[in-house]
């Protein structure tokens, strides 16, 4: 496999990760927190109406988790395609 | 000891700390001054980013705003955190790999054009100046309220401190002071929150507390109780809000994208050694930010419940002492419209404008119940209570009856939040001038030493200008947030994203897009916020989008214009395409 091909594969995989993670990002914040919030408010978690909880708490926790998943995936990907900086 | 003595002690200690750090971390080269030599530990950078990002508005005003907006406050909570996901995934790692000093650097090199660089510099300057004026004002307010110092002198003291460590230390000094400032501000924010959560719900963790039952023995959930109080008084339910869904959506997008496009935030990720560090550093930053941002909505609920329960339908004579203290600062007022001696709280503004206290000589004129009298025209509705949103955080410790040192801590925290953000912004202003204008456009052969001197002079001038705006805020200072975020969303964000992810985007497309997005957004905001504020009602907005949310539309215009103009012009030169290729891989 040539170097060129390797890099194309890396970038494709990166874009794939991005689209999955950003879909989750969109669904949780704009979906659960805004568009579906009135409907989700029919359900409760403890004292929280669910839509309200996603809007003011849940989405923020999910944002943090998404970034760390991305860091994990990318570090693994860097290793796999040999573009990680340690070897430089 | 009283609050004032405690405040002097705590503010004194924290200021001494900031100055100490500044002396220890003086910058000797432009690389140190601009990006702390790119040698900042990712965790340290995360903490510094959090302080850089969380301004006087996040610390002092946000919880109060949410407290009055209920569900609608979501726009700030999600809007000012969700952008970090975009930063981590779409911007930070690639810009770190690019590895220069500033955002205009990237725009200028990527679009092989000094015109593009200049447009970016102008955007960076407008965004940073509007934003920094608000911070200086915040410093002045904290000083005047807690230390009874004139706002003028408050701003001067704040300027002197920032001047000292920003001009001396540049990014290096700022980074390490910001770490200290983060510790101060987060401690100051959390302590009252723990206490109040414990009092109201029996749970010390505010994030859990505001979803728990209240401790008055009724077994009712706090949020249900607040919804009920709201309904009884004629307000919309706290958990549902009053803004239209599309407006909430658009404002949230504009704030998220704007966050990811703010130059003082982006530049923090130039300071870490590796691409890998840039990615994880955004993650750390968001954790540190999330601690405050998930606590703020809890504080909002606690403060709102406490306020309604303490004042609504209660005789004025039975008000606790803090009520009259804040009345005298004109941030709280009661107009007894029906002359029954009881505070009636209802939707709508109680008076026209902000309270204007009537004085007889030096004495405040008092009414039949000994309340502070004001000269404002009263409105026709039943509401008799005026509450400034900012006092919800400032007065929270007093309202909850917490010890004096907690209130003093809030003052020190507010100062830390305002100073740390101001410093980050001043650095962007100074590098824009010394690096992007002087070095890159006027005098390419300038020595490192001379460039550093210009950077310091620019920082010094910027401090003075910011201070001037802090003392004499332009009438539209409250609107600056909309302007700063709208501009960042409509200009930088699309240009950077296209620059990284669309190799064939050329300079004509990017320039046309930036200018179109910028002009559209500015025009819409200026029209509704400055030129014709009386027309600023939902019926007049395009598609029901308020000026706060219009940056989203500006961003879409930018993208559409960029992509259409692009197709009429040749692809970017080979070396630029290779550069784009290069920033996509860590090595």
């Amino acid at each position: 496999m040539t170097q060129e091909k390797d890099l194309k594969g890396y970038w494709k995989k990166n874009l794939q990760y991005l689209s999955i993670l950003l879909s989750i990002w969109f669904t949780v914040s704009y979906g659960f927190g805004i568009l579906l919030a009135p409907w989700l408010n029919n359900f409760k978690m403890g004292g929280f109406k669910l839509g309200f909880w996603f809007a003011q708490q849940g989405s923020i926790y999910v944002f943090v988790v998404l970034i760390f998943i991305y860091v994990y995936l990318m570090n693994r990907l860097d290793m796999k395609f040999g573009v990680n900086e340690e070897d430089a | 000891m009283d609050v004032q003595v405690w405040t002097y002690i705590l503010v004194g200690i924290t200021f001494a700390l900031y100055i100490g750090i500044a002396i220890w971390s003086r910058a000797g080269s432009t690389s140190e001054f601009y990006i702390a030599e790119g040698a900042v530990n990712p965790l340290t950078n995360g903490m510094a980013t959090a302080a850089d990002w969380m301004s006087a508005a996040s610390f002092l005003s946000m919880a109060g705003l949410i407290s009055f907006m209920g569900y609608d406050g979501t726009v700030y909570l999600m809007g000012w955190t969700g952008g970090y996901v975009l930063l981590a995934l779409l911007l930070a790692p690639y810009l770190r790999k690019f590895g220069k000093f500033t955002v205009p650097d990237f725009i200028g090199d990527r679009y092989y054009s000094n015109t593009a660089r200049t447009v970016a510099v102008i955007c960076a300057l407008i965004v940073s100046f509007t934003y920094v004026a608000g911070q200086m004002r915040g410093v002045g307010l904290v000083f005047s309220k807690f230390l009874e110092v004139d706002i003028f002198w408050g701003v001067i003291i704040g300027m002197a401190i920032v001047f000292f460590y920003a001009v001396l230390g540049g990014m290096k000094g700022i980074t390490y002071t910001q770490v200290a400032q983060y510790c101060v501000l987060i401690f100051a924010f959390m302590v009252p929150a723990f206490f109040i959560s414990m009092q109201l719900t029996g749970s010390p963790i505010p994030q859990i507390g505001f979803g728990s039952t209240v401790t008055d023995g009724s077994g009712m959930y706090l949020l249900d109780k607040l919804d009920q109080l709201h309904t009884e008084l004629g307000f919309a339910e706290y958990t549902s809000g009053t803004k239209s869904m599309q407006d909430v959506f658009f404002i949230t997008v504009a704030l998220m994208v704007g966050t990811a496009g703010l130059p003082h935030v982006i530049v923090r990720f130039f300071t870490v050694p590796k691409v890998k560090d840039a990615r994880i550093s955004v993650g750390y930053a968001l954790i540190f930010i999330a601690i405050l941002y998930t606590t703020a909505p809890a504080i909002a609920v606690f403060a709102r419940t406490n306020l309604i329960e303490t004042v609504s339908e209660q005789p004025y004579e039975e008000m606790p002492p803090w009520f009259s203290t804040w009345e005298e600062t004109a941030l709280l007022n009661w107009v007894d419209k029906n002359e029954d001696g009881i505070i009636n709280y209802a939707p709508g503004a109680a008076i026209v404008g902000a309270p204007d206290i009537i004085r007889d000589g030096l004495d405040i004129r008092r009414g039949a119940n000994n309340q502070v009298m004001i000269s404002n025209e009263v409105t026709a509705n039943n509401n008799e209570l005026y509450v400034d949103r900012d006092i919800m955080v400032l007065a929270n410790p007093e309202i909850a009856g917490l010890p004096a040192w907690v209130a003093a801590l809030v003052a020190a925290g507010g100062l830390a939040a305002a100073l740390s953000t101001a410093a980050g912004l001043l650095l962007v202003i100074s590098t824009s001038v010394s690096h992007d204008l002087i070095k890159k456009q006027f005098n390419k052969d300038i020595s490192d030493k001379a460039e550093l001197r210009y950077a310091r002079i620019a920082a010094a001038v910027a401090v003075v200008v910011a201070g001037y705006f802090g003392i004499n805020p332009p009438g539209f200072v409250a609107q600056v947030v909309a302007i700063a975020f709208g501009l960042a969303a409509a200009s930088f964000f699309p240009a950077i994203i296209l620059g990284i992810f669309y190799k064939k985007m050329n300079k004509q497309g990017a320039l046309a897009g930036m200018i179109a997005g910028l002009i559209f957004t500015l025009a819409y905001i200026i029209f509704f916020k400055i030129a014709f504020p009386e027309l600023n009602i939902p019926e007049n907005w395009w598609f029901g989008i308020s000026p706060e949310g219009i940056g989203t539309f500006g961003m879409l215009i930018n993208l559409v214009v960029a992509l259409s103009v692009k197709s009429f012009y040749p692809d970017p030169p080979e070396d630029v395409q290779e550069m784009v290729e290069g920033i996509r891989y860590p090595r």
Side-chain angles (χ1 to χ4, degrees), chain B residues 498-512:
Chain B
L498 288 171
I500 296 165
F501 289 90
Y502 191 31
K503 219 179 350 181
K504 299 243 189 282
M505 177 49 69
N506 52 27
K507 78 169 166 196
Q508 291 86 352
L511 256 176

Side-chain angles (χ1 to χ4, degrees), chain B residues 126 145 166 209 219 225 242 272 307 376 396 423 489 561 573:
Chain B
I126 299 180
K145 259 170 230 155
K225 184 173 161 186
T242 53
V272 292
L307 177 78
N376 301 60
N396 223 354
V561 170

Side-chain angles (χ1 to χ4, degrees), chain A residues 37-78:
Chain A
W39 177 73
L40 282 172
N41 277 343
N42 294 321
F43 306 95
K44 283 188 88 167
M45 189 177 69
F48 292 111
K49 288 178 180 167
L50 207 54
F52 178 82
W53 183 81
F54 267 109
Q56 303 211 339
Q57 294 279 299
S59 57
I60 302 176
Y61 300 132
V62 173
F63 295 153
V64 173
V65 172
L66 282 176
I67 296 182
F68 281 90
I69 293 176
Y70 168 75
V71 170
Y72 168 77
L73 290 174
M74 288 311 283
N75 286 346
R76 212 180 50 174
L77 196 67
D78 287 354

Side-chain angles (χ1 to χ4, degrees), chain B residues 87-125:
Chain B
L87 255 175
L89 273 57
L90 304 176
L91 300 170
Y94 310 109
L95 291 175
R96 175 64 198 86
K97 178 68 197 297
F98 171 69
K100 292 275 181 65
F101 291 145
T102 65
V103 174
D105 248 350
F106 177 77
I107 304 273
D109 286 7
R110 168 61 183 84
Y111 295 115
Y112 45 99
S113 147
N114 264 339
T115 319
R117 189 190 304 273
T118 309
V119 172
V121 170
I122 293 171
C123 293
L125 288 177

Side-chain angles (χ1 to χ4, degrees), chain B residues 152-453:
Chain B
F152 175 81
W153 287 108
V155 172
I156 298 285
I157 297 169
M159 274 167 62
I161 295 283
V162 175
F163 185 87
F164 199 74
Y165 68 77
V167 174
L168 259 189
M171 184 56 110
K172 206 173 153 202
I174 288 173
T175 302
Y176 296 104
T177 14
Q178 280 175 338
V179 170
Q181 282 158 340
Y182 177 79
C183 298
V184 173
L185 81 87
I186 202 69
F187 186 69
F189 199 79
M190 298 307 290
V191 167
F194 287 135
F195 274 121
I196 298 168
S197 182
M198 199 67 197
Q199 278 179 354
L200 270 178
T201 68
S203 161
I205 300 168
Q207 285 85 343
I208 296 172
F210 85 120
S212 308
T213 52
V214 284
T215 48
D216 63 2
S218 63
M220 218 177 166
Y221 282 118
L222 179 58
L223 283 166
D224 290 343
K225 184 173 161 186
L226 184 54
D227 276 347
Q228 195 189 327
L229 286 171
H230 262 225
T231 317
E232 282 169 13
L233 294 176
F235 290 96
E237 276 195 351
Y238 185 85
T239 51
S240 23
T242 53
K243 279 190 200 297
S244 72
M245 189 186 275
Q246 78 260 36
D247 200 23
V248 170
F249 191 98
F250 270 78
I251 296 177
T252 310
V253 178
L255 295 181
M256 278 197 195
V257 174
T259 305
L262 283 177
H264 72 287
V265 175
I266 294 178
V267 76
R268 286 237 51 101
F269 299 98
F270 288 86
T271 66
V272 292
K274 289 183 203 146
V275 173
K276 206 176 140 191
D277 300 328
R279 291 182 194 134
I280 190 107
S281 195
V282 188
Y284 291 138
L286 189 57
I287 290 185
F288 292 129
I289 292 167
I291 296 173
L292 190 146
Y293 272 66
T294 53
T295 306
I299 292 187
V301 169
F302 301 149
R304 183 80 186 157
T305 313
N306 265 339
L307 177 78
I308 295 179
E309 292 213 302
T310 313
V311 304
S312 176
E313 304 305 318
Q314 301 294 322
Y316 176 83
E317 283 167 11
E318 284 171 25
M319 281 303 109
W322 58 261
F323 197 98
S324 62
T325 321
W326 288 98
E327 253 186 309
E328 286 162 18
T329 60
L331 294 172
L332 187 65
N333 199 271
W334 170 59
V335 277
D336 197 4
K337 289 181 186 170
N338 54 6
E339 296 178 352
D340 62 354
I342 287 173
I343 300 174
N344 302 114
Y345 185 37
I351 54 170
V352 179
D356 194 4
I357 298 175
I358 308 175
R359 287 174 197 274
D360 302 310
L362 286 173
D363 295 326
I364 291 170
R365 188 182 295 174
R366 303 279 172 171
N369 295 283
N370 204 31
Q371 78 270 31
V372 171
M373 297 300 284
I374 52 174
S375 60
N376 301 60
E377 196 184 319
V378 295
T379 51
N381 59 34
N382 295 327
N383 184 22
E384 299 179 341
L385 189 70
Y386 171 89
V387 194
D388 186 286
R389 278 130 184 78
D390 284 351
I391 73 169
M392 299 308 272
V393 168
L394 291 172
N396 223 354
E398 286 173 277
I399 296 178
L402 299 180
W405 64 269
V406 179
L409 196 58
V410 171
L415 286 172
L419 291 175
S420 56
T421 306
L425 292 160
L426 290 170
L427 192 80
V428 168
I429 295 171
S430 112
T431 42
S432 296
V433 173
S434 67
H435 184 74
D436 298 316
L437 288 180
I438 296 177
K439 162 96 175 172
K440 291 284 176 167
Q441 314 225 13
F442 298 127
N443 186 357
K444 293 202 166 69
D445 308 319
I446 191 170
S447 75
D448 195 64
K449 225 171 170 179
E451 191 187 338
L452 182 61
R453 195 165 59 235

